[in-house]
């Protein structure tokens, strides 16, 4: 059957450390797709959409939700906090989207329990100077329980054993928290005492059980069999991948194309186009190595012009020049077929723009990130004249054209679209 399949699933994901602008481009591309599906991550993601004067940040809901007739799927690889999804996210978009009708949730998606969030806080605090800079949404502990085969899944909400299972797991977490010298009753979550948060969570979990919970792997494969189009939306970025990112300063899921297969139940043979998104420069929020990071006025200029403050946590993002060795690495890992360059307008004011083409490491030049030593490399830059007119949709300046060509030649992949502003309308097809 799969060999005769009429349709393949396209993938859209971030090639850097997240926040590349995935939400915006999924929203732009959605009219071409029948289904948009998230395959990994959870409420650590913050995907911003700007359209018709609205600005919305999505955490768990796929970014196709604002286009009528598009079916949105939260796959089994995603982890869900019912309180954040129901009480925060759906609440904030209900005047703009028909979430109850257009959202399908995998019965196999794991739940983030209130004690996962408490554990995340306790674990991060215990790391001291070695903090990862987690969003504290419970991501690490929830994925840990999934692989340790202790987790609770959305489908469990429909089972009368749920409360028993919930109690058993949260008791284990409680002991872990106490072992590390903390008291659950003294931990605050989203500004609420733990016990209050837990009550709201339980109510939200009951509401979640009334949504369309199903085996989404069948929904997706049957849709592909019927020739329907599917776009798989990544969260985070390749450099935050649990396997290939700058470990341990990563998230706890597979953020690369491979995550589509495991996180949605789509076979590798059914993967079509892979859209790889990158900013014209680099940003990172949280701790970990960042070879091209700028600590000077230029870094501050990028932060201010690019409004580089976290969509989920509001933290200032670290900023620096584009890192081609890492971009090439990410293209290799993901099988990127088309590149999309984001936030091109942010570099409009710069007289000179640097682009990192290799690293100096241990007295040698290399294009490969060395094991556990990305913080010890010195970037080797090519300096270019800035461009001044990325916002002009008709004519791209010679300087911008040169920048595009350098990237395309380096990674051997075409840039098919550039983004020149946050709004749905501010994109240029090349
Ligand atoms: P995501 O997590 O990959 O969806 O990205 P975020 O939403 O966290 O961060 C991207 C930010 O840049 C958001 O505030 C977007 O509104 C904004 N943005 C997206 N594309 C562009 C662009 O081309 N230019 C500018 N100036 N802002 C953009
Ligand atoms: P989107 O989908 C940027 C970062 C955190 C931290 C590390 C681990 O919006 O691009 P976690 O909460 O997963 O335990 O945090 O990963 N991080 C992100 N950075 N964008 C994201 O998502 C991120 N999700 C997690 O800042 O450094
Ligand atoms: Mg984001």
């Amino acid at each position: 059957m799969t060999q005769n399949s009429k349709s393949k699933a396209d993938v859209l994901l971030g090639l850097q450390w997240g926040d590349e602008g995935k939400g915006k481009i999924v929203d732009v591309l959605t009219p071409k797709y029948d289904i948009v599906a998230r395959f990994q991550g959870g409420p650590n993601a913050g995907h911003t959409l700007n359209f018709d004067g609205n600005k919305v940040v999505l955490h768990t809901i796929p970014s196709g939700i604002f286009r009528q007739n598009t079916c949105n799927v939260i796959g089994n690889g995603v982890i869900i906090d019912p309180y954040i999804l129901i009480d925060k996210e759906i609440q904030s978009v209900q005047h703009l989207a028909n979430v109850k009708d257009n959202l399908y949730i995998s019965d196999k998606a794991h739940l983030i329990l209130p004690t996962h969030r408490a554990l995340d806080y306790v674990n991060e605090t215990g790391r001291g100077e070695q903090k990862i800079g987690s969003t504290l949404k419970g991501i690490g502990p929830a994925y840990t329980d999934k692989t340790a085969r202790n987790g609770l899944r959305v489908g469990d909400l429909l089972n009368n054993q749920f409360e028993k299972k919930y109690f058993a797991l949260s008791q284990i977490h409680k002991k872990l928290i106490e072992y590390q010298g903390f008291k659950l009753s003294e931990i605050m979550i989203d500004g609420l005492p733990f016990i209050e948060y837990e009550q709201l969570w339980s109510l939200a979990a009951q509401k979640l059980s009334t949504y369309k919970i199903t085996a989404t792997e069948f929904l997706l494969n049957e849709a592909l069999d019927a020739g329907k189009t599917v776009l798989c939306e990544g969260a985070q970025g390749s450099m935050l991948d649990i396997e290939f990112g700058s470990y341990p300063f990563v998230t706890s899921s597979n953020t690369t194309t491979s995550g589509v297969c495991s996180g949605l139940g789509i076979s590798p043979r059914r993967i079509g186009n892979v859209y790889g998104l990158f900013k014209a420069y680099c940003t990172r929020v949280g701790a970990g190595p960042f070879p091209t990071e700028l600590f000077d006025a230029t870094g501050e200029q990028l932060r201010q012009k690019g409004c580089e403050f976290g969509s989920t946590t509001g933290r200032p993002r670290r900023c620096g020049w584009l890192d081609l060795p890492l971009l090439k690495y990410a293209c290799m890992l993901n099988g990127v077929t088309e590149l999309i360059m984001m936030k091109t307008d942010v570099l409009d004011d710069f007289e000179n723009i640097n682009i990192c083409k290799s690293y100096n490491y241990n007295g040698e030049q290399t294009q490969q990130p060395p094991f556990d030593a990305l913080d010890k490399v010195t970037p080797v830059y090519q300096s270019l004249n800035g461009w001044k007119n990325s916002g002009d949709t008709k004519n791209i300046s010679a300087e911008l054209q040169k920048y595009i060509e350098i990237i395309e030649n380096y990674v051997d992949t075409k840039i098919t679209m550039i983004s020149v502003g946050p709004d749905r309308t501010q994109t240029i097809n090349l």
Side-chain angles (χ1 to χ4, degrees), residues 19-24 46-48 50 311 317 342-343 345-346 419-422:
D19 302 329
E20 295 87 354
K22 299 174 290 293
K24 170 184 163 163
H47 295 182
T48 314
N50 288 272
S311 312
R317 294 177 184 145
M342 305 299 295
K343 301 192 98 160
D345 55 301
V346 174
S419 176
V420 292

Side-chain angles (χ1 to χ4, degrees), residues 150-212:
N150 292 327
L152 290 179
R153 299 183 291 175
V154 171
D156 291 323
L157 289 169
L158 309 174
N159 185 310
N160 59 13
Q161 295 293 304
F162 181 76
E163 275 184 28
K164 208 170 139 193
K165 287 184 179 176
Y166 175 92
F167 183 75
L169 185 55
S170 57
Q171 284 304 106
I172 296 173
H173 295 157
K174 206 173 159 198
K175 283 192 194 127
L176 286 170
I177 288 164
E178 282 166 3
Y179 178 74
Q180 294 184 68
F182 290 81
K183 277 203 184 115
L184 203 47
S185 56
E186 290 170 6
I187 292 176
M188 305 284 284
I189 300 180
D190 282 356
L192 297 170
F194 178 83
I195 192 81
E196 275 182 42
Y197 186 85
E198 193 181 39
Q199 280 162 1
L200 293 174
W201 188 96
S202 297
L203 291 173
Q206 281 169 27
K207 286 187 208 153
L208 178 62
S209 65
T210 67
Y211 277 72
K212 291 180 175 171

Side-chain angles (χ1 to χ4, degrees), residues 39-42 77-79 138-148 251-253:
F39 56 91
Q40 46 69 233
V78 176
I79 50 175
I139 303 297
Y143 275 121
T144 301
D145 270 336
K146 176 177 178 174
T147 42
T251 191
S252 300
S253 64

Side-chain angles (χ1 to χ4, degrees), residues 43 59-61 74 80-92 99 103 105 204 208 211:
H59 302 287
T60 327
I61 303 174
I74 298 177
I80 299 176
D81 183 325
Y83 173 70
I84 294 178
L85 175 60
I86 304 284
D87 286 7
K88 296 283 175 190
E89 216 175 331
I90 293 181
Q91 196 71 18
S92 76
V99 182
L103 182 69
I105 302 171
L208 178 62
Y211 277 72

Side-chain angles (χ1 to χ4, degrees), residues 43 89 94 103 109 135 160 209 229 250 253 259 267 316 362 378 388 414:
E89 216 175 331
Q94 62 180 3
L103 182 69
T135 58
N160 59 13
S209 65
T229 48
V250 294
S253 64
S267 100
N362 276 345
T378 310
K388 301 285 176 183
K414 284 279 173 212

